[in-house]
């Protein structure tokens, strides 16, 4: 099992990369990772994901109750908890706002079926 400190570093790095690549802006988006069966590490609400520090991350239980940390968990926490509750194999959840996918959503259009995941 990955240690809590390692997971914190990985979430912070993922948040920084998402921000640097324009996949999130400001405090948009959120990330979480399953620590173990009873704990989930999650980014805080209202904080820029490109500038997070280890002490900014919070730990919640599977019901969303704060177990560790001093900030409020992501406002999208319930979406993350739903994924974890339905699939034991889900180890992390990333919610971003890629500009092209967001443009399709705003236009009310589906992404083309023949698009490659790398795009």
């Amino acid at each position: 099992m990955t240690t809590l400190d390692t997971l914190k570093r990985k979430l912070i790095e993922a948040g920084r990369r998402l921000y640097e690549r324009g996949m999130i802006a400001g405090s948009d988006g959120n990330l979480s990772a399953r620590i173990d069966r009873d704990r989930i590490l999650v980014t805080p609400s209202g904080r820029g994901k490109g500038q997070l520090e280890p002490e900014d991350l919070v730990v919640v239980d599977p019901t969303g109750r704060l177990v560790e940390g001093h900030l409020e968990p992501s406002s999208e926490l319930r979406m993350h908890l739903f994924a974890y509750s339905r699939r034991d194999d889900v180890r992390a959840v990333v919610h971003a706002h890629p500009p092209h996918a967001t443009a399709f959503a705003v236009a009310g259009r589906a992404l083309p079926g023949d698009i490659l995941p790398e795009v």
Side-chain angles (χ1 to χ4, degrees):
M1 179 56 69
T2 307
T3 67
L4 180 58
D5 288 338
T6 300
L7 277 178
K8 284 183 177 185
R9 284 195 309 273
K10 287 180 178 184
L11 276 190
I12 289 168
E13 176 66 14
R16 184 184 62 76
R17 287 180 177 199
L18 287 167
Y19 177 77
E20 288 174 353
R21 287 165 175 77
M23 300 295 180
I24 53 176
S27 62
D28 288 351
N30 42 72
L31 303 96
S32 68
R34 192 189 307 256
I35 301 167
D36 54 37
R37 184 170 181 80
D38 299 317
R39 299 179 302 153
I40 298 163
L41 183 65
V42 64
T43 53
S45 180
R47 295 286 175 109
K49 307 313 175 282
Q51 298 82 32
L52 291 173
E53 297 292 333
E55 60 271 12
D56 296 331
L57 301 176
V58 298
V59 177
V60 299
D61 70 12
T63 68
R65 184 180 64 83
L66 187 64
V67 173
E68 183 181 315
H70 63 279
L71 298 172
E72 288 294 317
S74 167
S75 59
E76 301 285 345
L77 177 60
R78 288 190 299 173
M79 177 177 59
H80 294 244
L81 295 177
F82 182 79
Y84 293 123
S85 73
R86 296 288 192 238
R87 301 263 314 261
D88 288 337
D89 61 325
V90 171
R91 305 303 304 156
V93 176
V94 176
H95 173 193
H97 298 162
H100 292 92
T102 301
F104 273 88
V106 170
R109 298 186 58 191
L111 290 170
D114 60 351
I115 195 166
L116 296 173
E118 294 83 5
V119 175

